[in-house]
Amino acid sequence: MADPVISGDGVFSHACVGASDLSVSTKFYDAALGALGINNLGPFGDSVVLYGKGKPAFLVLKPGNGAAPSGNGVTIGFAASSQADVDAFHKAGLAAGGADEGAPGPRGHLPNAYAAYLRDPAGNKVCSYTFA
Amino acid sequence: MFTHSFLGTNDVDRSRAFYNAVMGALGHAGIPLPHGTAYPSDSGSLIVAKPANGEAHTVSNGHTLGFSAKDTATVDAFHAAGLASGGTDNGAPGIRPNAPGQPYGAYLVDPDGNKICAFAPNPNA
């Protein structure tokens, strides 16, 4: 992109997650987020790949301190427009190097919630929700 | 695009004091939960709570969560509120020349080690 601008839509301007191997992680996010209409917008420098709906809002990157991605407690949730899109997110992620963290289905802790959870190849927990 | 983000904590009261301050500066009120605090919004919700798997929260290297601020003064208020409420400076308010779109931003590390920031549009754009 010639002049990308962080999305800034909504409460969150953006979120970053670490990758051990950018090509492995971007293969996963191309598949899983592509199912939700969130596209790979290309690299930003040598160590960042941008994703978004038009404008970048999700960044997959090599951690700036050179250490491996790590951690317990972070989850990033992506909006889906239908239960079928949640299913597609989960299936595409599993086929592209992700690990199952919760099969598609209703989530009783929220009214009308239907969700699926994955771990990306670097171990980050992501999910997709719809309330449709 | 985002439904929510979940950040882990090992001390609910401490993290609630911090996030009530920084999210309050951004215009978002907290709702106490048994194991954390939620900051709901129609355009995405933040939940700061103990990890659901029962294990300790550990810092997620490479992860940063960014919040939208309407202007530079709001970014300044976010940073000051966080420093006064148990956060650590991780980048003073100012133009970020290396971020897409050169926004005006400020970075903090929360009391549990999570890295967060607030971005406002570049005032010179």
Side-chain angles (χ1 to χ4, degrees):
Chain A
M1 307 185 68
D3 188 20
V5 176
I6 289 282
S7 166
D9 297 336
V11 169
F12 303 112
S13 57
H14 65 288
C16 305
V17 293
S20 296
D21 182 326
L22 267 182
S23 65
V24 170
S25 286
T26 55
K27 180 184 175 193
F28 169 81
Y29 283 110
D30 287 356
L33 297 185
L36 303 177
I38 300 166
N39 299 313
N40 184 328
L41 303 177
F44 183 75
D46 294 333
S47 58
V48 181
V49 176
L50 304 172
Y51 289 83
K53 291 183 171 179
K55 291 194 285 186
F58 182 67
L59 292 74
V60 181
L61 51 80
K62 299 275 283 184
N65 61 5
S70 62
N72 183 47
V74 165
T75 304
I76 298 174
F78 295 94
S81 57
S82 67
Q83 294 186 0
D85 282 357
V86 172
D87 296 347
F89 159 86
H90 194 256
K91 184 177 180 184
L94 288 178
D100 181 31
E101 269 285 334
R107 293 298 188 272
H109 54 268
L110 288 171
N112 303 317
Y114 183 95
Y117 285 75
L118 293 166
R119 292 267 179 193
D120 80 8
N124 298 295
K125 194 170 172 182
V126 295
C127 61
S128 180
Y129 270 75
T130 185
F131 301 91
Chain B
M1 177 170 140
F2 300 112
T3 52
H4 66 287
S5 278
F6 187 108
L7 296 176
T9 181
N10 293 317
D11 185 328
V12 169
D13 291 338
R14 186 180 64 178
S15 72
R16 182 176 296 152
F18 175 81
Y19 279 101
N20 280 352
V22 296
M23 296 304 282
L26 299 176
H28 306 295
I31 296 175
L33 305 172
H35 302 293
T37 313
Y39 300 85
S41 150
D42 290 342
S43 63
S45 299
L46 172 69
I47 303 107
V48 186
K50 293 192 171 182
N53 61 4
E55 296 176 16
H57 156 77
T58 57
V59 174
S60 187
N61 188 37
H63 178 256
T64 302
L65 187 58
F67 298 98
S68 300
K70 67 179 191 298
D71 54 26
T72 61
T74 304
V75 172
D76 296 346
F78 160 87
H79 194 255
L83 291 180
S85 303
T88 306
D89 178 35
N90 202 50
I95 302 288
R96 305 334 268 200
N98 296 325
Q102 291 80 49
Y104 184 95
Y107 286 77
L108 292 165
V109 174
D110 81 8
D112 287 287
N114 295 299
K115 189 171 170 182
I116 63 171
C117 61
F119 277 11
N122 186 310
N124 305 317

